[in-house]
Amino acid sequence: MKRFVVGIVTISLILSSASASAHEGMWLPMLIKRLNITEMQANGLNLTAEELYDINNASIKDAIVSLGGFCTGEIISDQGLMLTNHHCGYDAIRSHSTVENDYLTDGFWAMTREEERTNPGLTAAILVRMEDVTDIVMAELKEDMTEAQRASKAKEIGDSLVTIATENTSYNGYMRSFFHNNEYYLFVFNTYKDVRLVGAPPSSVGKYGGDTDNWMWPRHTGDFSMFRIYADAEGNPSDMSPENVPLTPKHHLPVSLNGVQEGDFTMVFGFPGSTDRFLTSTGIEQAINLFNPTVVEIREQKLAIMKQAMDADDAVRIALASNYASTANYWKYFIGQTEQLKKNRVKAKKETIEATYLNWANADEGRSDYAGALDLLDEAYSLTDENVKSQVYLQEAGIRGASLPLYAYRLGRMLGALESSEELEDDKLSILQYAEDHFSEFQPDVDRKLAYALWSMWMENIPENQQPAIFAEVRDSMQGDLAALVNEVYDNSVYSSKAALESWMENMDFESLSDDMGGRVATSFIMTYFGVQRGNAEVREKMEKGYRLFTDGLRKAMPEKVFAPDANSTLRLTWGVVGSYDPQDAVHYDYITSIDGVMQKEDASNSEFVVPERLKTLYNAKDYGQYADENGDLIVNFISNNDITGGNSGSPVINGDGALIGTAFDGNWEAMSGDIFFEDKLQRTISVDIRYTLFIIDKYAGASHLIDEMTLVKKKKRRKRRK
Ligand code: ARG
């Protein structure tokens, strides 16, 4: 989830001088050679920078996949087999599940290629190359331009650079800004559109510990699932087709059976979504007091309503599983972030950094623009404080609350366009397809309850002049009876059922659309959204200019520190070491967990902690095969101090020799403030030990044909782990 406040910063170096144990930084692969390779090699990397990232020869980057733009995957066979998290494959697994064939509960394994399942809309993008285009863009951005003018100029240049880079190729691309519009890079991809589900463990393995253990260590979750990328016969991206064949990748990761020990080198390649490491102290205050608690209060309500319906009906449970899981994920995230921003005293740390910045800015008259940047930001925050809550309501209770309004908005535009359509039959087909997708998940009773509950909160908790106009109508012409509005929407709108749409299609009465209450609610929400956007132009100007100058100035004020850019869903590499930590006084957390802990947490009365029978049988027989460690234990998860965030889910954890040792899937509770300030001593990446993944595939699921595809590596002798 994206915070709406454009965020910003961090500097761990002020507080703890640069040391080999500080591992902040999501680095751009093309800059590794210049910025990081020496330190990485000194800490256990046995590869060259070219073996990590090269545009002329195969390198590790060729095995890294942006999965659907929301997660990461890694290719682990020469036949396009891809590994990612269970929670990344969750929606795909759900989409193939029914009450009779419940793959969420029981797991799914394709025993042949024919049994692999297609997933319309799911993509796998592999980076072809990236390029620093900062100079090209900056040459066109003039001092007297507003931030909005700069952005539109940059976009124009970016679009033409993408066109040039992709013309007459199978490629697609985009340009992104870095360091708050101070640098620009171009990215070119091959994006594959036929990505099939190969396997997934039952949720009692893949989601073991549920929301209770989410964002926590010690952890015992087999959070993995597998897909296969298909391409045309030449290996190029192609729409889904039975003619497609498994992709032969330029590179696939070998899989190590050697496991990890404290201090081992680790690197994580992936597509982290967003961090706010330059966020100012004022921004932190707004997050703690306004933004975060509002998200939490709305989601709490949403989750309670969904859970009640899901517990009562299996079909509803499956239909809403993915929506529920992602809602719960960031509900808990924002609780944790607020708690840890306070505990880790992040605001005070930022104030120290801001003081350093101001000293630098005030030391020279030529830096007056820089000197004003923090004031600009303070002004912007005080102007937004007043409507942060209403913006969160608009997002969380409106646009992503009940699902009907967004569907109504999108479908409404498609229906309206039919009036002047030149390809009526085709357009009608896409409309029916879109409706089909929507209604496969839509639960009318739950959605109605969500609408009533969330819109009530909205009417009650937000000043009337910041509410959508439709609520004024409820007060004025419906005697304040929100239920009357909700019933009209859910009983009579063309957007409330597939049947209603089909019957509209028969005579296509375009006039009826403007009176449709579902459509009117949607329009009212969206108009409020655009109104807020317009109203915010002045604030955005201050916010963007403030952060652009502050970020640039801070890098100049601290020339000894090598800053890494915030995450922005582009390919990054972060390196670190495996290591335990001390979450609080007198408490020590080991760096690995084992299957013993799975059994210790077992609670048959709690759906989050049910252990499947077959796993118990294997455990009782200690039947771990080649996946046991040197002590005969089966390791489940491990932690390292790599710097990751949402979007990195599914990322490979790679050892110093370039072999896969784990799959990253989470962060730890004590460092939930980490997207805003990296916590050197506390912050950890939680990963599934690859041997647990292989054990589940092989011993638990009997899908050993998948193991046979992989390139397994095992050293003969390994020191014994200290117990
Ligand atoms: N917190 C993890 C992330 O955002 C997701 C973990 C999914 N597991 C769960 N129990 N919800 O990447």
Side-chain angles (χ1 to χ4, degrees), residues 406-418:
L406 188 58
Y407 165 75
Y409 178 70
R410 292 185 174 149
L411 196 84
R413 291 172 61 114
M414 294 167 89
L415 295 184
L418 284 182

Side-chain angles (χ1 to χ4, degrees), residues 296-493:
V296 172
E297 86 187 3
I298 300 169
R299 289 192 177 215
E300 209 149 76
Q301 200 34 264
K302 210 172 154 177
L303 290 167
I305 290 169
M306 289 169 82
K307 181 157 193 337
Q308 195 189 27
M310 290 165 76
D311 285 348
D313 181 333
D314 263 352
V316 177
R317 171 180 59 76
I318 292 170
L320 297 182
S322 173
N323 184 351
Y324 185 89
S326 53
T327 304
N329 191 32
Y330 276 82
W331 160 75
K332 194 167 175 185
Y333 172 94
F334 282 109
I335 293 174
Q337 187 187 72
T338 303
E339 184 176 320
Q340 305 308 345
L341 282 171
K342 293 179 187 164
K343 267 202 187 138
N344 291 324
R345 300 181 206 288
V346 176
K347 189 173 162 226
K349 290 172 180 168
K350 297 284 188 169
E351 283 165 349
T352 309
I353 293 163
E354 288 158 16
T356 305
Y357 171 85
L358 281 177
N359 266 337
W360 169 85
N362 290 326
D364 185 321
E365 283 188 14
R367 297 175 190 155
S368 62
D369 271 6
Y370 290 114
L374 289 173
D375 290 340
L376 269 184
L377 290 171
D378 285 352
E379 280 169 46
Y381 282 114
S382 77
L383 287 168
T384 50
D385 275 352
E386 193 184 313
N387 53 25
V388 169
K389 277 193 79 148
S390 71
Q391 298 210 22
V392 175
Y393 265 88
L394 183 58
Q395 269 302 325
E396 296 279 329
I399 294 167
R400 308 204 175 275
S403 70
L404 189 143
L406 188 58
Y407 165 75
Y409 178 70
R410 292 185 174 149
L411 196 84
R413 291 172 61 114
M414 294 167 89
L415 295 184
L418 284 182
E419 208 167 0
S420 54
S421 169
E422 289 172 6
E423 284 156 44
L424 194 60
E425 289 316 305
D426 281 1
D427 289 349
K428 280 170 130 178
L429 272 181
S430 11
I431 284 171
L432 288 173
Q433 184 58 55
Y434 180 58
E436 178 83 40
D437 288 351
H438 168 76
F439 285 109
S440 70
E441 266 184 82
F442 184 72
Q443 297 299 320
D445 296 342
V446 185
D447 217 64
R448 183 192 297 254
K449 280 192 190 131
L450 284 173
Y452 183 78
L454 301 179
W455 303 351
S456 302
M457 289 173 78
W458 196 351
M459 290 181 71
E460 207 169 296
N461 296 344
I462 296 301
E464 286 180 14
N465 64 359
Q466 293 182 17
Q467 292 179 19
I470 196 83
F471 294 155
E473 259 182 69
V474 171
R475 277 186 294 271
D476 298 344
S477 47
M478 299 180 201
Q479 291 79 45
D481 184 7
L482 178 63
L485 174 76
V486 171
N487 289 338
E488 176 61 21
V489 169
Y490 284 84
D491 292 339
N492 297 325
S493 166

